[in-house]
Amino acid sequence: MDGLRQGLRKATGWLLYITALLALAVLLPRSVFDPESKDFLLLLGAVGIWRYSMGAIHYLRGLFFLYLRYPYYRRQARKLGAAADPSQVFLLVTSFRIDALTTAMVYRSVIEEASACGYPTTVVCSIVELSDELLIKNLWARMNPPERVKLDFVRIAGTGKRDGLAHGFRAISRHLPDDEAVVAVIDGDTALAPGVVRKTVPYFKLFPKVGGLTTNEFCEVRGSYVMSEWHKLRFAQRHINMCSMALSRRVLTMTGRMSVFRARVVTDPGFIADVESDHLDHWRLGRFKFLTGDDKSSWYSLMRLGYDTFYVPDAAINTVEHPPEKSFLKASRKLMFRWYGNNLRQNSRALGLGPRRLGWFTSLVLCDQRVSMWTSLLGPSVAIIASIKYGFAYLMIYLLWIGVTRLILTLLLLASGHQVGPAYPLILYYNQIVGALVKVYVFFRLDQQSWTRQKTKLNRDLASFQRWFNTWSSRAMTFSAGSIFVAVLMYVV
């Protein structure tokens, strides 16, 4: 019955969306659909040609990797057989302020995977609360894993995930792993799908320069329907982009939910320092530590150390998402602020590594991240200015264009293997506009950071003048950049 109800809800949603597009088309003059007319619908889309072309390149590269290149790599990895087996596997799980039901589900999946993978495995639990330790020990006793599976606890203060990872890496170092050992870093709200270890470890033997790889994500959202669809859309887009970047072996983030590294990487003191105490020297805001974004720090460290990164699309994990707010608007903005801040803080110094290290395509993608916040706002800004100057029909033309193109983009996501829903076209546009505004805001406030689960913020203990200068210079630069953007568009239109 639940499946039938969900199917009816999806069908109703698609019907309402298509009906709204048709109604909007009926209200517009016929000249809009005449290719000879100056009002022709596609003329408006010309302003986004290069932005759409970047998306098209990612999409085609992603499909090529997913359906052609990766199956070839998988066959090559299988031919290696036992030669690709690691000497030892470490499963490092970091848990803090996660409900008991989720913690039990995660550790049950980790213990089951450790038992089923067939390799000598050590489960390293980086935890804060005594209650988590008691829960894990109880699970361990009931599941009774084989002798080759060991358990190790690391108790830390609740000072953040970076400290939890660093203490876990040092605990693994004390086991003296050899060059053939691998380490999977798993978040405390991530359940492993069966076989994920065996699907990932052969690629370290197949690609000797790969220092870390990450996996495909699916999610269960403890929130509203819109919040659930928002997360699922993000994971579908992530899948395509990861596949695109894996074609160059330059995946741009070692996802904190689950990534796998060579043991010699995570035991490298330089790598541990990058994850534990990463920081940025900013020309205006001064030096500040990174509170969040350990996945970006680990990626940058791998690039700096000369390693490649990879993505395994058929190795899946299932995450439990707990929105930080009940309101979708508040929760999505909070999450965007954290994600985009992590991205932008790493962007400039990653570009500093240069195309010779990153490759030309990766450098182009990083440059595009810096300008996409403005190009995403170009279309709606032009449409609003044109509708004020020339007539309301221009805004309606733009809305129809958005409705049609977002429908096409949604249907294209079907090739990712993730499900799509009728809310996706609207959420895509919401992400474009609100996401761009959040990026502009955070770009001038890179020092402002906060966790959504831990409720902690970065305290820099700045002098009163420095705090005043940072606050007002950020506001002034945001206002100036926005004013220049609007002025240029007014002049052009």
Side-chain angles (χ1 to χ4, degrees):
M1 284 296 292
D2 288 340
L4 178 61
R5 192 177 294 112
Q6 289 180 2
L8 288 174
R9 184 166 62 179
K10 278 190 175 183
T12 303
W14 284 117
L15 182 62
L16 288 173
Y17 185 83
I18 298 298
T19 301
L21 283 184
L22 293 175
L24 187 59
V26 168
L27 292 174
L28 290 171
R30 289 186 179 182
S31 62
V32 171
F33 305 99
D34 180 6
E36 300 298 326
S37 169
K38 66 178 181 180
D39 298 327
F40 183 52
L41 180 64
L42 293 180
L43 287 178
L44 186 61
V47 298
I49 283 179
W50 86 273
R51 193 167 60 84
Y52 284 114
S53 66
M54 197 68 191
I57 291 171
H58 267 307
Y59 185 77
L60 294 175
R61 282 172 54 94
L63 293 190
F64 178 76
F65 175 83
L66 183 60
Y67 292 108
L68 294 175
R69 182 61 62 87
Y70 176 71
Y72 169 75
Y73 289 153
R74 184 171 53 199
R75 291 192 297 270
Q76 296 298 108
R78 286 174 178 171
K79 288 179 182 178
L80 294 174
D85 290 350
S87 60
Q88 193 172 7
V89 174
F90 294 89
L91 302 178
L92 171 61
V93 188
T94 56
S95 299
F96 181 46
R97 289 185 179 171
I98 297 173
D99 65 274
L101 287 176
T102 302
T103 300
M105 178 186 69
V106 168
Y107 277 97
R108 187 179 293 110
S109 75
V110 170
I111 297 169
E112 287 175 349
E113 184 61 18
S115 302
C117 70
Y119 306 128
T121 305
T122 302
V123 178
V124 181
C125 311
S126 181
I127 58 175
V128 177
E129 288 96 349
L130 176 62
S131 58
D132 284 344
E133 182 175 343
L134 296 175
L135 186 154
I136 295 163
K137 286 181 176 178
N138 182 267
L139 269 176
W140 191 269
R142 283 194 295 163
M143 298 179 70
N144 191 27
E147 285 292 322
R148 58 177 172 76
V149 181
K150 308 297 181 183
L151 182 64
D152 191 7
F153 284 99
V154 181
R155 289 286 299 276
I156 66 165
T159 50
K161 185 180 177 184
R162 287 181 178 271
D163 288 341
L165 289 171
H167 282 77
F169 293 156
R170 293 189 181 102
I172 292 170
S173 300
R174 290 192 287 271
H175 287 270
L176 302 177
D178 60 27
D179 282 348
E180 302 300 318
V182 299
V183 178
V185 179
I186 304 160
D187 210 353
D189 55 6
T190 300
L192 306 185
V196 68
V197 171
R198 280 197 165 273
K199 288 178 179 178
T200 53
V201 295
Y203 296 100
F204 290 105
K205 180 67 70 172
L206 185 65
F207 303 123
K209 289 191 64 178
V210 166
L213 56 83
T214 192
T215 52
N216 196 0
E217 284 189 47
F218 296 87
C219 65
E220 174 191 341
V221 181
R222 306 285 171 83
S224 65
Y225 168 76
V226 177
M227 197 74 210
S228 177
E229 294 295 282
W230 185 71
H231 275 284
K232 291 174 182 176
L233 168 62
R234 174 173 168 263
F235 287 138
Q237 292 177 304
R238 169 190 179 276
H239 185 52
I240 293 294
N241 287 334
M242 287 285 194
C243 287
S244 171
M245 298 311 300
L247 195 61
S248 307
R249 290 179 217 162
R250 287 293 183 275
V251 174
L252 293 179
T253 180
M254 290 290 97
T255 308
R257 297 305 177 84
M258 190 210 173
S259 293
V260 189
F261 301 86
R262 294 184 187 274
R264 69 169 178 263
V265 170
V266 302
T267 57
D268 185 317
F271 181 85
I272 296 175
D274 283 343
V275 173
E276 183 179 28
S277 54
D278 204 0
H279 64 274
L280 183 67
D281 290 307
H282 193 272
W283 67 274
R284 178 174 55 86
L285 302 172
R287 171 175 289 199
F288 54 89
K289 288 183 65 175
F290 292 170
L291 183 65
T292 63
D294 55 276
D295 52 350
K296 293 290 185 182
S297 296
S298 58
W299 171 79
Y300 175 76
S301 189
L302 286 171
M303 292 293 103
R304 185 179 61 80
L305 294 170
Y307 290 100
D308 294 344
T309 54
F310 194 62
Y311 178 64
V312 184
D314 60 354
I317 58 171
N318 298 284
T319 64
V320 181
E321 302 289 342
H322 297 84
E325 300 282 350
K326 290 184 178 180
S327 165
F328 166 72
L329 296 178
K330 289 182 179 179
S332 60
R333 289 202 307 272
K334 273 191 174 183
L335 291 169
M336 284 179 181
F337 183 85
R338 177 161 64 88
W339 295 337
Y340 296 152
N342 295 339
N343 195 341
L344 291 169
R345 276 185 285 275
Q346 295 290 355
N347 185 280
S348 59
R349 66 177 188 175
L351 279 170
L353 294 174
R356 292 188 64 182
R357 175 68 196 104
L358 297 175
W360 286 103
F361 181 74
T362 305
S363 298
L364 177 63
V365 171
L366 291 173
C367 288
D368 181 65
Q369 289 177 353
R370 296 179 74 85
V371 300
S372 63
M373 67 186 84
W374 300 108
T375 58
S376 296
L377 295 173
L378 186 63
S381 301
V382 169
I384 291 171
I385 294 172
S387 66
I388 293 173
K389 189 169 184 179
Y390 301 113
F392 188 69
Y394 280 89
L395 184 59
M396 295 181 66
I397 293 170
Y398 176 71
L399 292 176
L400 181 60
W401 168 260
I402 290 299
V404 172
T405 54
R406 272 45 183 186
L407 176 60
I408 294 171
L409 292 175
T410 296
L411 297 177
L412 289 175
L413 286 175
L414 286 169
S416 70
H418 289 245
Q419 294 185 357
V420 301
Y424 279 27
L426 298 178
I427 297 174
L428 277 170
Y429 191 62
Y430 172 83
N431 284 347
Q432 176 187 329
I433 303 305
V434 177
L437 293 173
V438 171
K439 284 180 183 178
V440 170
Y441 180 85
V442 75
F443 181 76
F444 297 106
R445 296 164 179 82
L446 294 177
D447 59 327
Q448 295 186 17
Q449 307 164 64
S450 64
W451 281 104
T452 48
R453 183 189 299 132
Q454 284 91 333
K455 307 296 183 186
T456 56
K457 292 188 176 183
L458 180 67
N459 183 10
R460 300 176 61 192
D461 294 323
L462 296 175
S464 57
F465 173 77
Q466 187 66 52
R467 286 200 304 271
W468 177 87
F469 175 78
N470 287 359
T471 298
W472 283 99
S473 64
S474 295
R475 291 175 180 174
M477 294 193 73
T478 306
F479 178 78
S480 300
S483 299
I484 293 171
F485 177 75
V486 173
V488 170
L489 291 185
M490 290 286 287
Y491 176 77
V492 171
V493 173

